[in-house]
Structure formats: C-alpha cells, structure tokens
C-alpha cells in the first residue's frame, strides 16, 4: 500500500457501500460506464441543498418539491437508502408539513452524506 494513493472503487463497490440497487440499475443502464456517468451527475444535483434551505425558511411547498426531486433522482440511480429517507420526508411534507421538526432531516442527512461520499470516491477512480 502506498501512502497518498487514492484507492479505486468500482461502481459495484460504490453501490455495496450505500446498500444501493446495483443489479436494478445495471439492468436499466446496461453497463458500469453509463451508471458511473449518471451517478457522477448526482454530485452536482442541488435538490438536497435546496431542501435544507427551504426547510430552514419554513417554505414547505418548495421543500416538498426539493424532497420529491431528491427522491426521484435517488430512485432512478438506485440509491436505495437515500430514496427511502427522502420518500419518508416527501410524504410527510406532502400531507402534514406543519408537523415538520428539524430532527426529521437527520436520517436523510446521514444517508445523503454517505451516498455523496461514496460517489465522490467513484469519481476518483
């Protein structure tokens, strides 16, 4: 092992790290290069940042849109944990936005950070 060398991560290893649906995504995208191409676009997706901003501003209509977008992106990319966390928040914001408390973002934040970090490692490959 050489110090300072970035350890490469395969697409499958990335999905294993985040408990993602690699097989499902592979079936749709038909190859690791295409999966990687679209997964890397996730790094520039602004829906999570928008969600945090709009929740802090108590703009629940826009927060719902951002959560719904994040849910869709996560589902399309097979990011299962992030999808499930964003689905929960999306549905709460859809039906009972007045019940939102900041701690409800904790699980989503943890999944987002884990997913973002794994995709960043994939980018380093």
């Amino acid at each position: 092992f050489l110090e300072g060398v970035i350890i490469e991560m395969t697409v499958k290893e990335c999905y294993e790290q985040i408990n993602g649906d690699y097989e499902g995504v592979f079936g749709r995208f038909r190859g690791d290069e295409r999966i990687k191409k679209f997964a890397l676009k996730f790094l520039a997706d602004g829906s999570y940042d928008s969600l945090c901003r709009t929740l802090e501003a108590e703009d629940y209509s826009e927060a719902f849109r951002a959560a719904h977008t994040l849910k869709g992106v996560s589902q399309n990319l097979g990011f299962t944990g992030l999808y499930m966390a964003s689905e929960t928040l999306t549905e709460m914001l859809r039906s009972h936005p007045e019940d939102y408390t900041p701690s409800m973002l904790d699980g989503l934040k943890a999944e987002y950070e884990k997913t973002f970090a794994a995709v960043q490692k994939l980018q380093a490959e």
Side-chain angles (χ1 to χ4, degrees):
F1 178 76
L2 299 172
E3 194 173 320
V5 173
I6 295 175
I7 297 172
E8 292 184 8
M9 177 185 286
T10 67
V11 171
K12 187 171 184 175
E13 289 168 338
C14 175
Y15 275 76
E16 287 170 354
Q17 192 172 72
I18 62 171
N19 298 316
D21 180 17
Y22 174 76
E23 297 302 324
V25 171
F26 190 88
R28 285 193 313 278
F29 286 73
R30 305 246 182 249
D32 281 357
E33 283 307 309
R34 288 196 60 196
I35 295 171
K36 182 177 177 179
K37 174 185 171 185
F38 286 97
L40 292 179
K41 291 177 185 253
F42 170 76
L43 298 175
D45 178 75
S47 55
Y48 176 76
D49 291 334
S50 177
L51 174 63
C52 293
R53 258 191 336 275
T54 55
L55 283 173
E56 191 167 313
E58 298 181 11
D59 184 348
Y60 299 123
S61 176
E62 285 302 314
F64 166 76
R65 280 193 255 298
H68 193 268
T69 300
L70 184 59
K71 179 181 98 166
V73 167
S74 301
Q75 184 177 33
N76 287 334
L77 291 172
F79 297 162
T80 307
L82 184 56
Y83 166 74
M84 291 170 51
S86 57
E87 179 184 39
T88 301
L89 187 59
T90 298
E91 293 313 311
M92 190 281 304
L93 289 169
R94 179 192 315 268
S95 57
H96 299 290
E98 68 280 359
D99 294 342
Y100 172 76
T101 62
S103 65
M104 292 177 177
L105 191 58
D106 293 348
L108 177 59
K109 180 180 180 189
E111 284 296 331
Y112 179 82
E113 290 174 353
K114 178 172 75 170
T115 302
F116 195 89
V119 174
Q120 279 185 314
K121 288 179 190 170
L122 184 61
Q123 184 180 36
E125 180 190 317

